[in-house]
Amino acid sequence: MNATMFTIGMFPYVCAAMIPVFCEPKTMSKMLRSAVESVWNDKSGPKSVDYKPPTRTKQNVIVTGMCVYTALQLFLPYSHILTQGYNGWRNGLYGYSWDMMVYNVEVAKVEVKVLDHVRREQFFLDPQSWTNNNKWMLHGDMLKQFAECVAANMPDRRDNMSIQMDIWGSLNGRFHQRLVNPKVDLLNVSWSPWSPVPWLMPLIRHLDRWRPLMMDAKRNTDDDLLFFADFPGMTVTNDANDREATTTTLAVLEGAVAVRESQIGAIDDNGTVRLVSGEAMDVTGRHVVTTVSATPSCYVFASTAESGGGGGGCGASGHGGVDRGVSTQHAAVGGNRAKSCSKACYASALHAIRDAFSALFFRTAV
């Protein structure tokens, strides 16, 4: 089926040709000897073949094995109905099913925070120092195993520590959103292979109508566009530097957000600006975005390079109510007064809002 749906070249044929490697050496020698004898032996005289039909017991065993194998192959695509603990944005055991190439998750950010309740300390870990791939970030059982591994390597803290993770990803070009609840302690959460994982964040599917418009906006502009969606009450902190000549605009596509600047080491934060659907503002420095609407919000960061300056970007680090982020490069953010959208924002926000209802009826999502 994969060879029919996808271009995978000669890979399946090479795998099929290498199957004899796993056979016993005596078996291969016997097969080769039989092949040589069938070619070089004299075939002029007829050879009598003594045929012995299989016994009734052997027939029953063969038929039973074929029935069990067929039933197993029919059941495996739907096994996620029972093994719900392994389900996430993709159903099934780690996504190794017939549709594994249909879903593509792009992980944008991973943050592992350790809280020491006795010493009143908190610090962040580099996940790449513990593992060199990101497959574990998509599955609840692996997230819990990762947290337990971290605790096992900190014996002086493990009895009085909590581990929280904030992971952002995009499924098949959708908005970047959280995969796991950043407020839960992964050392004390429960997990069962037969029950759904309550601390994994669900996919925000009602925003799928924006996906074709997001793709059009990215194709029709040279600006750097980053699309985010967040749940009510959740906070995203962005640390930016303005060494490059860029202008970054935050435009709200749906819902309502509260934006405020937050200076490191400052006692009071600057005033908060509330933005609703269709409004935008330029931002600079360190800013915090909180979803204040009753439904999930979605917004876009559009970074435009000014004349004589290099390209820019805007990175985000998400937190569940904690105003601390991870520094990102090529980001720029600006004032605390709501302004009109830039050219990129008009393309992605106003045009998208105007065509949102038509997208509901004429576009479908995977």
Side-chain angles (χ1 to χ4, degrees):
M1 180 177 292
N2 283 340
T4 303
M5 298 177 60
F6 308 102
T7 304
I8 55 179
M10 60 183 297
F11 175 75
Y13 305 103
V14 174
C15 291
M18 294 299 294
I19 290 178
V21 174
F22 301 96
C23 298
E24 290 289 339
K26 294 181 179 179
T27 304
M28 291 301 302
S29 300
K30 184 177 180 180
M31 293 174 58
L32 292 175
R33 188 181 305 109
S34 300
V36 172
E37 291 177 353
S38 63
V39 173
W40 294 101
N41 284 355
D42 185 12
K43 301 180 181 179
S44 58
K47 296 182 179 180
S48 60
V49 179
D50 296 334
Y51 174 74
K52 295 181 180 180
T55 62
R56 188 69 176 180
T57 302
K58 186 176 181 179
Q59 292 179 357
N60 293 337
V61 170
I62 294 175
V63 172
T64 302
M66 294 179 62
C67 292
V68 171
Y69 178 80
T70 303
L72 180 63
Q73 296 301 317
L74 294 175
F75 168 74
L76 284 179
Y78 306 97
S79 61
H80 60 271
I81 299 175
L82 298 179
T83 58
Q84 298 187 37
Y86 297 99
N87 297 342
W89 289 358
R90 300 178 298 182
N91 294 328
L93 296 173
Y94 308 130
Y96 296 148
S97 57
W98 66 270
D99 59 351
M100 63 181 178
M101 297 185 67
V102 177
Y103 299 101
N104 178 33
V105 178
E106 177 188 355
V107 178
K109 183 190 74 70
V110 182
E111 182 180 272
V112 181
K113 182 170 64 175
V114 179
L115 302 174
D116 191 325
H117 302 291
V118 174
R119 303 176 185 178
R120 298 183 180 275
E121 297 176 350
Q122 73 173 24
F123 53 91
F124 298 87
L125 302 179
D126 180 11
Q128 300 299 328
S129 300
W130 300 77
T131 177
N132 57 1
N133 65 74
N134 59 3
K135 293 182 180 180
W136 60 273
M137 306 172 188
L138 309 177
H139 308 284
D141 60 319
M142 292 187 178
L143 289 169
K144 185 171 178 60
Q145 291 175 15
F146 185 93
E148 293 175 349
C149 178
V150 172
N153 284 272
M154 298 181 181
D156 57 330
R157 299 176 183 264
R158 64 178 305 169
D159 295 332
N160 302 290
M161 65 183 294
S162 300
I163 297 180
Q164 299 174 346
M165 296 187 189
D166 195 14
I167 304 175
W168 289 73
S170 171
L171 177 64
N172 289 356
R174 291 176 171 85
F175 287 95
H176 286 89
Q177 66 161 92
R178 304 176 195 267
L179 284 87
V180 61
N181 189 340
K183 300 179 181 179
V184 301
D185 179 13
L186 294 180
L187 292 178
N188 296 315
V189 295
S190 59
W191 179 86
S192 171
W194 317 112
S195 303
V197 185
W199 38 272
L200 290 181
M201 306 301 286
L203 188 65
I204 308 178
R205 291 191 175 274
H206 75 275
L207 298 177
D208 287 353
R209 63 182 182 274
W210 291 97
R211 183 163 51 158
L213 304 175
M214 292 160 51
M215 295 180 179
D216 292 340
K218 291 180 179 180
R219 285 194 298 263
N220 297 329
T221 181
D222 295 331
D223 297 339
D224 187 9
L225 302 180
L226 290 176
F227 295 88
F228 292 91
D230 207 358
F231 294 90
M234 293 291 184
T235 297
V236 178
T237 302
N238 182 74
D239 285 328
N241 63 72
D242 51 1
R243 289 180 297 178
E244 299 189 18
T246 59
T247 300
T248 301
T249 304
L250 168 62
V252 179
L253 305 180
E254 188 172 318
V257 300
V259 185
R260 62 182 174 86
E261 289 188 358
S262 178
Q263 301 296 333
I264 300 177
I267 299 177
D268 297 328
D269 294 329
N270 293 339
T272 300
V273 178
R274 179 186 173 92
L275 300 177
V276 297
S277 178
E279 296 182 347
M281 64 177 291
D282 290 341
V283 285
T284 55
R286 189 170 191 255
H287 67 283
V288 179
V289 182
T290 303
T291 299
V292 295
S293 55
T295 58
S297 65
C298 58
Y299 45 89
V300 56
F301 286 101
S303 297
T304 306
E306 298 178 355
S307 59
C314 186
S317 60
H319 300 272
V322 180
D323 297 337
R324 178 173 179 178
V326 178
S327 298
T328 57
Q329 298 179 353
H330 307 99
V333 205
N336 53 7
R337 180 174 59 88
K339 299 182 180 180
S340 59
C341 289
S342 64
K343 181 178 179 181
C345 291
Y346 276 119
S348 59
L350 301 182
H351 175 74
I353 293 172
R354 184 186 61 189
D355 295 340
F357 289 100
S358 62
L360 283 174
F361 294 99
F362 297 104
R363 306 292 181 96
T364 58
V366 176

